[in-house]
Amino acid sequence: MADTTPPKDGSPKRPSRRALMLGAASASAIVSIKPALAQTAGSVLNCEIPVPDAGRAGNYIAADGSLVPAGTQGAFPPAGRNFKGEEVKQALNGANLPGTTYEQSRAYTNYIRRLQRGTSGFTCFASLQMPRG
C-alpha cells in the first residue's frame, strides 16, 4: 500500500506513479482471469464421456455400473454415443441421459461414477465434481 500521510507542508499527497501502476495491473489481472474461468466451465460442460470407453466397447453395462459380457441378462448394451458433460451433470442430479430409459440411464451413470484414472471420460467426470466459484 502507498503511504497516504500528508506531507509536512500541509499539501495533499498524491499516490505515486508506482502505486497507480500496481493498481492498474491488479485490475487487468482480475479482468483476464474471469473469462478464463468462464471458458473452463464451458469446456467442462462440453467434454465427453463414452459409455463404455473404446477399450471395452464390446461389453454391456450392468445395473450397478460394472462391465459384463455382451448379452448378459439384465445388462444394457453400450450407449452408442458419447454423453456431454452437461448431460451427465443433469443425469447425476436425477434426469435421464438422452435417448435412454430410466433403468438404462441409472446403469450408465453408475458406470460413469465408477470411472478410474486412465479411463476415457475420467477427466471429464472429475471436472464435473469440482465446485465452481
Side-chain angles (χ1 to χ4, degrees):
M1 285 290 247
D3 180 17
T4 58
T5 58
K8 293 182 182 170
D9 66 3
S11 64
K13 183 172 182 176
R14 296 191 316 206
S16 71
R17 179 179 173 97
R18 182 171 182 215
L20 290 173
M21 289 174 59
L22 286 172
S26 297
S28 174
I30 291 168
V31 171
S32 300
I33 290 170
K34 284 194 176 199
L37 289 175
Q39 183 178 1
T40 300
S43 65
V44 166
L45 298 178
N46 289 320
C47 63
E48 294 187 352
I49 301 175
V51 178
D53 66 312
R56 301 180 284 180
N59 293 305
Y60 275 35
I61 293 84
D64 67 357
S66 62
L67 293 174
V68 295
T72 299
Q73 184 73 26
F76 300 95
R81 75 173 189 90
N82 295 346
F83 295 108
K84 298 231 178 261
E86 178 66 24
E87 296 168 338
V88 171
K89 185 175 182 178
Q90 291 172 358
L92 292 171
N93 289 322
N96 281 355
L97 288 165
T100 65
T101 65
Y102 175 82
E103 293 81 14
Q104 194 174 21
S105 183
R106 296 292 71 91
Y108 291 169
T109 53
N110 286 337
Y111 167 82
I112 292 167
R113 284 186 181 104
R114 296 170 69 130
L115 288 174
Q116 301 285 318
R117 184 178 311 272
T119 306
S120 184
F122 173 79
T123 302
C124 181
F125 174 65
S127 297
L128 293 173
Q129 304 305 303
M130 300 259 189
R132 298 280 165 228

